[in-house]
């Protein structure tokens, strides 16, 4: 296919007055020389030149009814071909659209507008130096595929514009010994076979410059720019080329064309089928290798081939899998310690004295507990909570305290060691100075209509809005975020009201009388029934609200208009995490720190909304209920996400293939096979990060109530890595490779979670569990003068922690039918530390209460200071960048500068030598005749 030889108008003005794609705004990119390399034609010659120039050379994709032209030959029958029909030019990108001339529709005006915009866009792509070739679909002749190729000169030009780092010379620093090298025989089974996936050769690199092309390591022009780099360059061009202009307002970019339906898809190609090698001997078969050694279930125990992942999908996806793999490795240590603490509690539950007292018919069976709601709720025996108290002994043990302290240290070690690993990847993947390469988003450039003077350069520059307009946008965005957070809190309040109202029903139905013998009471108490049903409903509401909040967060961020893609993702990340944090964790915070804390006492209860009595915890506390909530949310979330990630794309692709093939036995080309895969979406990786960070919060924030949380997270992550790998290699189109230096805004979010986790776990142990009251009783009140024993013991703890209330002191509105049939019972018990009836300070908090409060506050202060001190010490001792990596970075920078400097000096010396020889020759020619 020949390139255009005639100039084509870039800012093409169409007569239609439409704005269906919504992308309007001045185009500052048009003022850049590299985006307008050709001279513009007058507006009056647009349509004439388009038909005369574009049609013969480009093929007039819509006008020609037959594609059998030299430029558009039919599919050559090679399904894995990655080249144009000439077999020489590589396909760097594919655009897909539906031919309007073959569509059965009455919207001729709309079709014509779309056709003209597409023609203008494709002609402008050719003006930028790209080469295009079109072919119809093998299975559906209405679908047209436009294959895009970037020639060598275009690649070099845009590589310099985008500051892409390319090889200068092979790296001579690849000598690194490890203390674990002697154990290679042991870890060999876990590593990818180097004979299958060969290690990548390392190079010293520098930003590409065309005038220093000879300094770069160019062995073969076809392989100098790898396919990922080529696709990234082409996508950069596609995102900044115009397709329409109305009233001096430009519209440009492939994203808008796809979203408005002018193109159906735009994507780079996979290099082969995932299940078999390509027949083309020049194909590297990287997709096949990734599926075999990374995504296949039989490779679940192997380490990830991160270098090949990065090479094929780009640094952004590579850094995600590197982080997820490192997080999973660190979870192994946390899971082992968590299981050990769980087993400690499980094996010692039979030695739990206070649980024995609850289950003892002579102790718990004779303690009558006060009703937990008005009128309907009956009196109940303490021993009906026997089973829940046994389970509580497993989680509310000394091992829980040890594990909470350990996790405070573990999260610091994880973050610090990840920073070091991230620094290594920055060096190995050449992203140390990536921030200098990032360009403004096309959506941002399109809105740059205000001209201001740059304070630093003192030159004019365009910005999307003034300082006053920026303040208005920030205020509106903050107000919207606050509104939606309040809406989430309102949903949490609705769950609380549900718990309060349903608890009354369960209290009236489950324990029918204080002497009831129904077997269900042994396992299903009113508290347990309320907790389980409320947790399930809470999970369902969370899943529903997530769908809404995702769209809201994207709308707010689009209105905010961040400058770069990194700024966009960071802003969206903070909003989404804030929404998800409140959505997922609010119910857990309520159970841990609010439920049962402000209930008053039976004679003077505290009412919620003036109608419902506040919920009370079981005699053993709310820790077991918090554990139940975590299990349901973590387990349900993992199951739901895996169903979405595995079944949904597989079913969609299956349906798409069924409707497309329709029994056809024709071989489909590589671009058509990829077209029928699912699009990943620009925010596909964002949701993967968000899922893992929410899990990270559950593992760290509330781990004191559930030591098995790291084990569940470990099992989920081992599957998550392979599921994500399977999705990318088999079910999704190849994403446009993107550069990334780190995990972005997720890093400070994890640091914030780590700091908050110390506080939450300390408060869970102090206020949610019953550990501190038991310790106070053990060390102080189990011996004289407070106790009846002469040695330290936990006997009598239950009776000591349950206050006494005189049934006659109940208010009239609290009395009901449950007060009949009490027999000789004149008092009931309730969970609190108050003086008994008849005491001078009747129903006031006793001395034990103040001892416990003081012990809880002291515990929180001591635990926080110890863990924060250890965290600070670890952060100080472990540098963010290792000494070896720092030396490598300095060495590479030195050698790179030296190489470029020496090359420049050689050129100068050579030029000066030539000049000197010429001067000597001139002087000799001029002086010799005179001397003679």
């Amino acid at each position: 296919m020949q390139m255009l030889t005639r100039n084509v108008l870039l800012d093409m003005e169409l007569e239609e007055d439409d704005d269906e794609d919504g992308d309007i705004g001045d185009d500052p990119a048009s003022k850049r020389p590299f985006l307008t390399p050709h001279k513009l034609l007058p507006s009056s010659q647009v349509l004439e030149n388009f038909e005369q120039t574009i049609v013969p050379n480009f093929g007039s994709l819509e006008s020609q009814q037959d594609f059998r032209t030299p430029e558009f030959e039919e599919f050559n029958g090679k399904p894995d071909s990655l080249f144009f029909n000439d077999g020489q030019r590589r396909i760097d990108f594919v655009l897909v659209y539906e031919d309007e001339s073959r569509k059965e529709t009455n919207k001729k005006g709309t079709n014509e507008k779309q056709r003209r915009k597409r023609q203008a866009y494709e002609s402008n792509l050719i003006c930028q130096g790209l080469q295009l070739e079109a072919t119809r679909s093998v299975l559906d002749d209405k679908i047209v595929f436009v294959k895009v190729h970037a020639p060598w000169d275009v690649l070099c030009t845009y590589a310099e514009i985008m500051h892409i780092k390319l090889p200068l010379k092979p790296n001579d620093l690849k000598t690194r010994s490890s203390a674990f090298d002697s154990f290679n025989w042991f870890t060999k089974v876990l590593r990818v076979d180097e004979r299958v996936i060969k290690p990548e050769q390392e190079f010293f690199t520098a930003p590409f410059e065309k005038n220093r092309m000879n300094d770069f390591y160019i062995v073969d022009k076809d392989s100098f720019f790898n396919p990922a780099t080529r696709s990234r360059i082409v996508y950069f061009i596609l995102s900044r080329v115009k397709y329409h202009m109305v009233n001096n307002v430009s519209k440009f970019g492939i994203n808008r064309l796809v979203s408005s339906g002018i193109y159906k898809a735009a994507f780079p190609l996979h290099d082969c089928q995932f299940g078999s090698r390509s027949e083309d001997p020049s194909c590297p078969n990287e997709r096949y290798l990734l599926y075999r050694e990374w995504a296949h279930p039989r490779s679940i125990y192997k380490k990830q081939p991160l270098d090949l992942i990065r090479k094929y999908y780009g640094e952004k996806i590579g850094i995600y899998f590197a982080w997820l793999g490192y997080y999973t490795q660190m979870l192994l240590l946390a899971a082992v310690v968590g299981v050990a603490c769980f087993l400690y509690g499980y094996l010692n539950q039979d030695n739990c004295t206070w649980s024995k007292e609850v289950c003892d018919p002579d102790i718990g069976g004779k303690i009558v507990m006060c009703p937990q709601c008005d009128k309907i709720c009956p009196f109940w025996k303490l021993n009906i909570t026997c089973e829940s108290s046994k389970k509580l002994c497993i989680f509310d043990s000394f091992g829980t305290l040890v594990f909470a302290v350990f996790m405070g240290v573990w999260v610091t070690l994880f973050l610090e060691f990840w920073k070091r690993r991230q620094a290594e990847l920055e060096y190995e993947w050449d992203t140390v100075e990536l921030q200098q390469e990032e360009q403004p988003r096309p959506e941002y450039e399109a809105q740059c209509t205000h001209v201001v003077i740059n304070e630093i350069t003192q030159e004019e520059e365009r910005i999307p809005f003034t300082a006053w307009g920026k303040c208005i946008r920030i205020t509106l965005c903050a107000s919207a975020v606050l509104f939606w957070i309040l809406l989430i809190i309102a949903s949490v309040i609705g769950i609380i009201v549900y718990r309060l109202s349903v608890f009354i029903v369960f209290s009236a139905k489950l324990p029918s009388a204080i002497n009831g013998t129904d077997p269900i009471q042994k396992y299903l108490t009113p508290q347990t029934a309320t907790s389980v049903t409320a947790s399930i409903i809470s999970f369902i509401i969370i899943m529903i609200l997530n769908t809404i909040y995702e769209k809201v967060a994207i709308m707010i961020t689009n209105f905010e208009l961040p400058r770069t893609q990194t700024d966009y993702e960071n802003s969206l990340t903070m909003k989404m995490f804030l929404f998800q944090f409140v959505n997922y964790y609010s119910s857990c915070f309520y159970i841990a720190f609010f439920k049962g804390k402000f209930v008053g006492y039976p004679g003077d209860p505290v009412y919620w909304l003036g109608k419902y009595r506040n919920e009370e915890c079981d005699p053993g506390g709310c820790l077991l209920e918090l554990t139940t909530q975590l299990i349901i949310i973590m387990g349900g979330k993992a199951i739901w996400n895996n169903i979405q990630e595995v079944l949904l794309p597989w079913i969609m692709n299956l349906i798409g293939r069924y409707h497309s093939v329709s029994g056809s036995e024709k071989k489909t080309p590589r671009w058509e096979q990829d077209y029928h895969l699912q699009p990943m979406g620009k925010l596909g990786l964002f949701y993967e990060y968000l899922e893992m960070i929410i899990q990270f919060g559950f593992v760290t924030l509330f781990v004191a109530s559930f030591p098995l949380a790291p084990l569940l997270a470990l099992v989920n992550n081992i599957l998550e890595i392979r599921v994500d790998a399977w999705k990318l290699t088999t079910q999704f189109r190849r994403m446009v490779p993107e550069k990334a230096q780190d995990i972005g805004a997720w890093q400070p979010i994890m640091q914030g979670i780590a700091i908050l986790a110390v506080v939450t776990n300390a408060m869970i142990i102090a206020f949610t569990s019953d550990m501190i009251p038991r310790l106070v009783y053990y060390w102080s009140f189990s011996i004289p003068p407070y106790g009846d024993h002469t040695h330290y013991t936990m006997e009598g703890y239950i009776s000591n922690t349950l206050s006494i209330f005189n049934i006659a002191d109940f208010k009239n509105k609290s009395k009901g039918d449950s007060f009949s049939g009490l027999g000789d019972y004149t008092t009931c018990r309730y969970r609190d530390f108050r003086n008994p009836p008849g005491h001078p300070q009747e129903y006031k908090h006793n001395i034990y209460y103040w001892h416990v409060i003081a012990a809880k506050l002291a515990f929180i202060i001591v635990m926080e200071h110890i863990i924060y001190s250890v965290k600070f010490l670890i952060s100080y001792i472990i540098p963010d960048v290792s000494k070896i990596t720092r030396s490598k970075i300095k060495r590479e920078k030195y050698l790179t500068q030296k190489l470029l400097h020496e090359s420049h000096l050689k050129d100068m010396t050579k030029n000066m030598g030539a000049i000197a020889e010429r001067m000597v020759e001139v002087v000799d020619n001029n002086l010799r005749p005179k001397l003679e």
Side-chain angles (χ1 to χ4, degrees), residues 320 323-324 327 546-547 549-550 553 572-585 637 641 645 683-698 720 724 743 746 749-750 753:
Y320 163 73
W323 172 80
L324 182 55
Y327 171 44
N546 277 346
T547 305
Y549 297 146
E550 289 173 5
L572 180 62
T573 296
M574 297 304 297
K575 294 180 180 63
M576 279 296 297
F577 177 76
L578 193 58
F579 289 153
Q580 300 279 28
F581 184 92
V582 179
N583 198 19
Y584 276 106
Y585 303 145
K637 183 175 180 294
N641 287 335
E645 294 180 6
L683 298 175
L685 205 58
F686 168 82
Y687 297 117
E688 303 297 338
Y689 271 117
L690 182 61
E691 176 187 351
M692 289 296 102
I693 294 298
I694 294 298
Q695 180 205 88
F696 179 78
F698 281 120
E720 181 74 21
D724 289 346
I743 62 175
W746 303 111
I749 286 176
M750 286 195 299
I753 292 176

Side-chain angles (χ1 to χ4, degrees), residues 453-507:
I453 303 298
N454 189 295
E455 296 180 356
I456 299 176
T457 62
Q458 293 298 312
E459 296 179 355
E460 288 187 355
E461 67 176 8
R462 288 178 175 264
I463 59 174
F465 33 71
T466 62
W468 178 247
K470 185 176 182 179
C471 292
I472 294 177
R473 283 178 179 259
I474 292 176
T475 302
L476 293 176
C477 291
S479 302
V481 170
L482 180 61
F483 169 79
W484 285 100
I485 289 178
L486 293 177
L487 188 61
I488 299 174
I489 296 175
S491 68
V492 175
I493 294 175
I495 295 294
I496 295 174
V497 173
Y498 165 83
R499 299 169 68 98
L500 297 175
S501 57
V502 168
F503 177 76
I504 297 175
V505 177
F506 285 135
S507 298

Side-chain angles (χ1 to χ4, degrees), residues 728-746:
L728 287 177
T729 54
T730 66
Q731 303 300 310
F732 285 90
R733 298 170 189 161
R734 187 174 181 177
M735 294 179 63
V736 179
E738 295 183 55
K739 286 279 187 178
Q741 190 175 24
D742 48 37
I743 62 175
W746 303 111

Side-chain angles (χ1 to χ4, degrees), residues 364-431:
K366 294 183 178 180
I367 296 179
V368 177
M369 302 297 294
C370 298
Q372 294 184 321
C373 65
D374 296 334
K375 295 184 178 181
I376 299 178
C377 294
F379 292 88
W380 52 285
K381 291 289 187 67
L382 179 62
N383 62 348
I384 70 171
T385 63
C386 176
E387 292 300 320
S388 62
S389 66
K390 289 180 179 180
K391 296 175 184 176
L392 188 61
C393 287
I394 301 175
F395 300 102
D396 195 1
S397 64
F398 180 73
T400 302
L401 172 61
V402 174
F403 189 58
V405 175
F406 167 78
M407 288 301 294
V409 177
W410 173 87
V411 70
T412 304
L413 290 174
F414 164 63
L415 293 176
E416 292 302 320
F417 281 120
W418 165 246
K419 290 179 184 178
R420 291 167 65 89
R421 176 59 177 153
Q422 188 171 255
E424 293 177 1
L425 293 175
E426 286 181 14
Y427 168 76
E428 294 173 2
W429 292 354
D430 218 6
T431 59

Side-chain angles (χ1 to χ4, degrees), residues 780-814:
S780 302
F781 291 88
S782 64
I783 59 174
Y786 302 103
D788 298 329
H789 307 285
T790 59
H791 59 282
Y792 293 100
T793 179
M794 287 300 297
E795 295 179 4
Y797 170 74
I798 289 296
S799 179
N800 183 268
T801 55
L802 295 177
S803 299
I804 302 174
F805 184 77
N806 191 345
I807 295 177
D809 293 336
F810 273 108
K811 295 180 180 180
N812 291 331
K813 75 173 189 175
S814 298

Side-chain angles (χ1 to χ4, degrees), residues 114-304:
Q114 292 184 349
R115 185 183 71 86
R116 287 174 174 268
K117 290 180 180 180
R118 187 165 53 248
Q119 286 179 332
Y121 183 72
E122 290 170 354
S123 66
N124 292 337
L125 290 179
I126 297 175
C127 287
Q128 297 301 319
L130 298 180
Q131 298 177 5
L132 310 181
E133 183 180 80
T135 182
R136 289 195 182 275
S137 168
V138 173
L139 305 175
D140 184 358
D141 61 358
K142 295 191 296 293
I143 302 298
V144 178
F145 296 91
V146 181
K147 296 168 282 187
V148 183
H149 168 75
W152 169 258
D153 187 61
V154 173
L155 293 173
C156 292
T157 299
Y158 281 90
E160 183 174 4
I161 292 170
M162 298 169 66
H163 306 287
I164 296 178
K165 289 186 175 182
L166 293 169
L168 285 172
K169 60 175 293 187
N171 191 342
D172 59 357
L173 297 178
K174 194 180 179 182
T175 56
R176 176 181 173 183
S177 59
S178 173
F180 298 97
D181 288 345
S182 58
F183 296 96
N184 281 344
W185 62 270
F186 180 74
T187 60
K188 184 177 180 180
V189 68
L190 302 177
R191 289 184 282 111
V192 176
D193 191 349
E194 293 185 356
R195 294 173 297 180
V196 178
I197 299 180
K198 297 180 181 179
E200 294 292 325
Q201 184 179 6
E202 295 185 8
F203 291 92
F204 293 123
T205 61
F208 185 76
E209 298 180 24
K210 291 183 67 174
N211 60 353
R212 290 189 174 182
M213 188 179 299
N214 295 331
D215 296 332
F216 289 85
Y217 190 78
I218 306 177
V219 177
D220 181 10
K221 288 185 177 181
D222 293 334
S223 60
F224 181 64
F225 295 98
N226 61 39
T229 303
R230 297 176 68 99
S231 298
R232 191 157 67 95
I233 291 174
V234 172
Y235 181 74
F236 181 87
I237 301 173
L238 295 176
S239 299
R240 286 161 172 77
V241 167
K242 300 179 188 178
Y243 63 86
H244 188 41
M245 175 173 282
V246 176
N247 299 326
N248 295 324
V249 176
S250 299
K251 302 179 182 181
F252 57 88
I254 187 62
N255 293 332
R256 286 296 183 183
L257 288 169
V258 172
S259 62
S260 61
I262 297 177
Y263 284 100
K264 297 178 70 68
F267 52 89
L269 290 179
H270 284 295
D271 63 354
C272 66
Q273 296 183 10
F274 67 86
S276 60
R277 289 183 176 273
S278 173
E279 298 178 357
D280 187 352
S282 63
C283 179
N285 290 287
E286 292 175 348
R287 185 191 187 192
Y288 167 75
L289 294 176
L290 285 172
Y291 175 74
R292 174 183 169 184
E293 301 295 328
W294 179 44
H296 198 279
R298 67 167 176 258
S299 301
I300 194 171
Y301 63 91
K302 291 185 178 181
K303 292 184 178 179
Q304 301 183 83

Side-chain angles (χ1 to χ4, degrees), residues 106 620 699 812:
N106 296 324
V699 169
N812 291 331

